[in-house]
Structures are given as structure tokens and as C-alpha cells.
Amino acid sequence: MLNKIYDWVDERLDITPIWRDIADHEVPEHVNPAHHFSAFIYCFGGLTFFVTVIQILSGMFLTMYYTPDIENAWKSVYYLQNEVAFGEIVRGMHHWGASLVIVMMFLHTLRVFFTGSYKKPRELNWIVGVLIFVTMLGLGFTGYLLPWDMKALFATKVGIEIAGSVPFIGDQIKILLAGDDVILGAQTLTRFFAIHVFFLPAALLGLLAAHFIMIRRQGISGPL
Amino acid sequence: MSSKVSRRQFLSYTLMGTGGFMASAMLMPMVRFAIDPVLQPSADGELIPTSQKADALTEEPVKVDFVIKDRKDAWYVSDVADSAWVYKQGDEIIALHPTCKHLGCTVNWEGDDKNPNRFFCPCHDGLYEKNGQNVAGTPPLGPLDQYEVEVVDGFVYLGKVVENQLV
Amino acid sequence: MQRGKGMKFVGDSRIKAEGRMVNMPKDYSEYPGKTEAFWPNFLLKEWMVGAVFLIGYLILTVAHPSPLERQADPTDTAYIPVPDWYFLFMYQLLKYEFASGPWNVVGAIIMPGLAIGALMLVPFMDTTKERRPSKRPLPTAFMLLAFASIFYLTWESVVNHDWEAAARQGAIVEEVEFDENSEGYQIYAGASCIGCHGDSFQGGLGDPLVNNGLTVDEIKDIVINGRGDMSPGLFDGSDEELEVLAEFIESLNQ
């Protein structure tokens, strides 16, 4: 039955090569921890992606309860964490996942750096990787404000001041981020929410796609 | 087909198992989190006081407005205004919920001049008899809901909304 | 080469045979040793690692509920902000003289900018064919140096931060109802108490005063003699005022 459906679609869309691209390739010995335990360092990238998937899923579910509004943001977070079943776990997954993704990405970057995997022909993929790193830091920074608790507000204040110290266009950047030149409040929260939930994830998905397509095009770098 | 499982098949099954474990461990808390409102027990109706004196009621339905104090809507607590159509039938006090059973508009007693002694819904011309029975041939699918009623110190108190008991 | 369902491919399957340029990527069979199919063999191993990782992740989540401090109060200027841990090194960097004050732009923009820029341009600066870290000492040394300084800065900021005070400042405090016009509150606001304990007793530099379970006499004693970080003799009102104040504070217990 499943085979028939597959054939029906394949006949029209020629999906077999797509499937091949994704899954049907060989994995060399030097990245396989089953052969060399030290090859576990090649798992960090995959784990980063895994945590990213969890972040996207848990984030989608959290927005079912979260309200990006200074009156209600904190109350809705308090509610979803303390009143909703498994709220503590789902918020916990998103909170700890944010840290884990940074840790895993950091380890992945170090692995790529110390194995010299960024060298020709993989320069472009390294640059995309650094952009992913920056995007992730941006997600961490914008997400920190959303619960609208004390540390969120005051850490963001500092962060926005840092953005404001850019020469020449600092003030403009600051207003763009905060939505107002002095107040850090209602408009800041909605802006950070939009950036955290729509803009940066969209950028991240694009960058991840580019990252993976390039890996499949170029293959994994050879053994040292 | 041979009953032997090939190495590749075995690997595929194990892979599906591991994938299934990861997916369920990840999604189980999230799904439970999402469907939490569905599993909440419905709030047991507290009696809400109204300003309507029980003695003043007649056979003619009157609209009684009342306010639910401090209604908890998750993290949002507010006073919510609601209303009921209340009349006397013999000694019994009847309070009908004014929400049309068609698509949720609000019905009015004798809201249409052509239909005296009936509740009328202006959205799609739905009609109900005085006891809440929907008039056949109009859009509503069932009779109007009813409030549980109690009289405390001469005033009408409304309880939770139940299905129409009069029809 | 016929591998697909009715499709002809050249070598690596992604290139179709008909009239396409052969731009095959490297074939893994170039590498010596035991290669293995990605699906399902290798993916199974990866997912097993993933499953173990997920279990650890969930245990962490259950063991340490994510923190939530009290609702943001922009007027509470006593609060010492601290960023998430992965920004701590930048937070610490901005405390140093060469990266603050007139040189703020150095710590806030130039140094992080240079770091990110350099990281991005690594492939164009390190262009040798060598891949072993030991064969390219400069990149290796720079990365180790960067890692060490980030580690050091993070460490410094952690040991220099008063985490207990921060936890106290951020704790969710039940709000109490009180009369701002009462005599007790007037004395409280007129004396220096309000500076540390907050305008609604939520605490700040000092402890919250709500529900602390102290009796009138204990409160009087603390007001006069101090406790912990609170030095003695901060209150300079009369004994009658002290009595009213202590009774007022005691009334905040519920």
C-alpha cells in the first residue's frame, strides 16, 4: 500500500533523487563513533539541530499561552508555568534548550575549527555557520526579555544600551529595537516578540537549509 | 514472503522505534500542555446575585442584567456582564440564557413585531417559544439553555447554565 | 547505473544521466576504511545518542524548573541586572577601564565586532592545506587564547556577582495591602528604610519586609541594632515613632 502511494507520487514528482539526497549516502569511518569513539565530536552539529527542533516545537506550544504585552506577559508566563499541566516542563525545555543549543553550537564550532574543516572548499559553509551562531545569540537575547520579569527588563536595558553605543547610527538602532528613544516598555516587548518568534527563526531556517545543502553538496571533510 | 527479518528491515524497525521514542518523549509534555484546557473540569456554578426582585416578576419575560465579579480567565481577572430572560410560570421562576443556539447571537423577547410572544434572534431570524423551544423552520437547532435559579432574600440568584428542562 | 525507481542516474544518485553536467561531489569511497550507509545504519546510532541526550535533557528540565523572577518593575533601580550566562563575558568585559567610560565603544562594539569578523574570515586567513591543529600553530593559538579569555571573563563575572542578593532582589514577593497615608508608612518613607526595603516592602538592597514573622520587639531591635548587612543606628526618629513603625511593619505579617 505504502509502496503504491510512493510509486504514484514518484511517477509524477521524481522524488527518489530527493530521498537519495537526504538519506541515501555513505558515512565514512572517521566520523563514526562506532569505529572510533573519539568521533563523538562529530555528533555536536546533529545535537545542535536536535535541540533547535525542540526549541521550535516548545516555542510553538508556549505561544498558545504567552501574551506579548507588558500587563499580561509576566502573568501569562506565571500562569503557564504554575497552573497548566506540564507547563513547567515545556517552559523548562525551552529555557534549558536555549542554553544547551549555545553549548552544543559552541562545541560544534570548536570541532570544525580544530579539525580545520572550514578550509577550501568549505569556506562558505563556515560563514553560514557563523551567521547561525549570531542568529542564535540574537534569539537568546530577544527571548530573555519575553517573560517580563526583573532580570529580563534590566538585562535588556543594558543590551539596548550596548546596541546604542554603535558609532553614528547607535541611537537609530536603539530606537529601532526598543520602539522608543527613552521608554523600554510596551513597544519593546512586542518588537522583541516579533523578532524572537518570526524574524530570527525565519532567518535561522534559511541559514540551516543553506548549511545542510552545502554539507550534502560537499560531503564531510576527510580524516585528519 | 519469508518470515525472516532481514538485517536492513531490523535496522529500519529499530530506527523507527528510537525515532518514535524521541518524538513521544518530546511531544508528550507539549501535547498535554496544549490540551490542558480541554481536560479542566467545568467550573461549578457559584450563585450570582442579580438586582431582580422575585416578587416583581410576572408572566412576561424581562431582561435581567447582572455582573459576574472577578471572573478568572486564566491570568486575566475581570468583571463580566451577562444577562438572562426571567419570568414566572405559576410559582416557578424561569431564567433563560439569551444566547441563540444557532450561531451564538443574543435573542430578544418579542424582538420582531410579526412574532409576538416569542424570542427572536436578529442575526438569522431564529424564533423560540416562551419556554425556549425553538420554532421549527427557523435556523436554531435546539431550545434555549436555562439558568438554575434560586431566590435569596427576595432577590433572584442565577446558578450555572443547564440544558432546557421545559421542553 | 540504474538504482532508482525508473530513473537513470550517474554515479552518485543525485545527478541524472540525461544531459546533465557531471558535477559529482566527492565520493566517500575515497576515504579508506569501513563506510556505512547513512540510512538506516548510521542514523540509528545518531538517534540512539539523541535519545540518551533527550533523557538527560528532560531530567535537567524536571530537576531544575526554569526560573521566573517577579514582574518587571522599571522603578526599582536597586536591581543589579545580569545577562544570560553566555553573555556574561561581555558583561564582565564592560566593567574594565579600557572597555568602559570613554572607551565603552571598545568593549561594546569593537572587540565583539572584531571577534565575530575574525571568526567569519578564518577560512581566508588560514589558507594552508594543513588541517591538523598542531601544524597550524597561529590559528590554534588564537582560538585557544579566545577560549581562555572568554572562560576567564565568565569566571570572573560569576565570582564577582552576589547571586544571593540577586535572588533576593528578584524573588516573587506577595503583595500586601497597606495604607500609604498611615502614620507608620509616613515614618517608613520619611526615614531611610524605603531606600533599601522598597516602596511596597518588596525588598531591594535589603530584605523584603512582608511576612517575615518578626514581632514588634524584634523589629525594634533590628531597627536600632541592625542585622546582617544593615548597620545599626540608621533610624533617627523618636521612641514613639519607632513604636509606631515597628507595629506598622508587624502588621504586614499575614
Side-chain angles (χ1 to χ4, degrees), chain A residues 108-138:
Chain A
H108 176 61
T109 310
L110 288 179
R111 192 282 289 169
V112 174
F113 186 88
F114 285 119
T115 55
S117 304
Y118 53 80
K119 299 202 164 206
K120 193 185 170 189
R122 299 187 177 78
E123 302 98 321
L124 281 175
N125 215 4
W126 170 264
I127 291 177
V128 169
V130 175
L131 290 177
I132 291 176
F133 202 121
V134 176
T135 310
M136 287 289 191
L137 290 180

Side-chain angles (χ1 to χ4, degrees), chain B residues 14 67 76 96 99 156:
Chain B
T14 330
V67 172
Y76 183 68
L96 292 176
T99 302
V156 175

Side-chain angles (χ1 to χ4, degrees), chain C residues 99-111:
Chain C
S100 57
W103 307 109
N104 197 39
V105 72
V106 174
I109 306 296
I110 296 179
M111 288 173 68

Side-chain angles (χ1 to χ4, degrees), chain A residues 199-221:
Chain A
F199 290 84
L200 288 180
L204 182 71
L205 289 180
L207 290 168
L208 282 178
H211 207 60
F212 294 154
I213 289 169
M214 280 192 260
I215 295 172
R216 294 296 305 115
R217 283 243 148 217
Q218 303 173 323
I220 295 170
S221 59

Side-chain angles (χ1 to χ4, degrees), chain A residues 11-60:
Chain A
E11 202 185 332
R12 282 153 185 83
L13 293 176
D14 189 19
I15 53 174
T16 299
I18 304 175
W19 167 245
R20 286 252 145 86
D21 282 351
I22 296 169
D24 195 12
H25 54 91
E26 282 186 302
V27 179
E29 182 186 334
H30 71 279
V31 303
N32 194 334
H35 296 303
H36 306 283
F37 182 70
S38 61
F40 74 87
I41 56 170
Y42 287 89
C43 284
F44 296 144
L47 288 176
T48 310
F49 179 61
F50 183 40
V51 186
T52 308
V53 169
I54 295 179
Q55 288 304 90
I56 292 173
L57 282 173
S58 55
M60 279 161 56

Side-chain angles (χ1 to χ4, degrees), chain C residues 92-108 111:
Chain C
Q92 179 70 16
L93 180 65
L94 293 174
K95 290 182 188 169
Y96 295 109
E97 219 177 305
F98 61 86
S100 57
W103 307 109
N104 197 39
V105 72
V106 174
M111 288 173 68

Side-chain angles (χ1 to χ4, degrees), chain C residues 40-53:
Chain C
N41 304 41
F42 186 71
L43 195 60
L44 176 59
K45 285 166 194 161
E46 272 198 324
W47 280 13
M48 280 175 166
V49 175
V52 172
F53 180 83

